[in-house]
Amino acid sequence: MKTSTDPIRDYLHAVEREARALPADRRQELLADLAEHIEVTRAERPDITIAVVLAELGDPRTIAATALAEAGNGAAPADPTGGGAGAPARQGRVHPLIPLVMLTLSLPFMMVFPDLPGPLIGVLFRITGAVLLCTSVHWTAVHKTTGVLLTAVLPTAVISAWNLSSGGPSGDTPALLANLAMLALLAGTAAWLWRARRA
């Protein structure tokens, strides 16, 4: 039997084999997303080994089970132990775009509606988005922590410090520039998280 010397190809073949119940187009999209994630991770962290990258992605059976659950097939690949493959699939019910949109839109609600409904909706969006991000199966713990710090903690701290130090926004232009800078940070972080997501 011929053995491959390419661990990435072997990993992707294992995912493809486990996800054979997916429609062909969705299976190819899953494999393309995984390959892109591997490529981006290796480019961003050149000192990391392929084995570590693949370990961070997770077990091919778990990835396939999550993709199958999200596709609505309900049937996960057979797991003779009855253990871990089913658990992550149940946690992946929320589309990865939802927490990113909620975190990004939290600030515009506060900017557009500065009176009572806007800040309340913005805070609720920020908290809900952070919780959904933290409980998602689409990101690693490092991505989740970085995402929450950049989209929830830092903007809240900056806005609070701004309001406390000046007793409220003293001029429209500095406040607008600060809000636009925070909005750019939120949108940039959301875009980074979208690219770094697991399929």
Side-chain angles (χ1 to χ4, degrees):
M1 184 171 102
K2 186 177 178 184
T3 44
S4 171
T5 58
D6 186 351
I8 295 173
R9 184 181 303 149
D10 293 344
Y11 182 86
L12 294 175
H13 281 313
V15 173
E16 185 175 21
R17 186 175 58 251
E18 295 293 339
R20 63 188 169 277
L22 279 175
D25 59 336
R26 177 64 188 107
R27 188 168 59 247
Q28 291 308 313
E29 182 184 341
L30 171 64
L31 295 172
D33 286 346
L34 288 171
E36 179 186 4
H37 178 79
I38 293 167
E39 183 179 323
V40 168
T41 302
R42 292 179 70 196
E44 290 175 349
R45 298 157 60 193
D47 57 328
I48 194 170
T49 65
I50 294 172
V52 172
V53 174
L54 298 180
E56 285 179 357
L57 274 174
D59 182 57
R61 184 176 293 168
T62 304
I63 291 172
T66 302
L68 286 165
E70 288 175 354
N73 288 351
D79 183 6
T81 64
R90 285 190 293 274
Q91 295 172 2
R93 295 284 183 209
V94 176
H95 192 278
L97 193 58
I98 292 173
L100 303 183
V101 168
M102 293 184 85
L103 287 165
T104 305
L105 291 181
S106 63
L107 184 61
F109 269 107
M110 295 180 190
M111 291 170 60
V112 173
F113 305 107
D115 295 328
L116 189 55
L120 179 62
I121 292 171
V123 168
L124 289 175
F125 266 39
R126 189 168 292 166
I127 292 170
T128 306
V131 168
L132 290 175
L133 176 65
C134 288
T135 58
S136 176
V137 297
H138 299 287
W139 292 281
T140 64
V142 172
H143 290 126
K144 292 176 185 180
T145 304
T146 305
V148 169
L149 286 174
L150 292 178
T151 60
V153 176
L154 181 62
T156 301
V158 168
I159 291 169
S160 298
W162 175 274
N163 287 329
L164 291 175
S165 67
S166 63
S170 56
D172 289 338
T173 303
L176 179 63
L177 291 176
N179 283 336
L180 290 176
M182 284 297 106
L183 186 58
L185 175 68
L186 293 174
T189 304
W192 170 72
L193 285 169
W194 180 254
R195 285 187 51 86
R197 77 194 185 284
R198 293 176 177 168

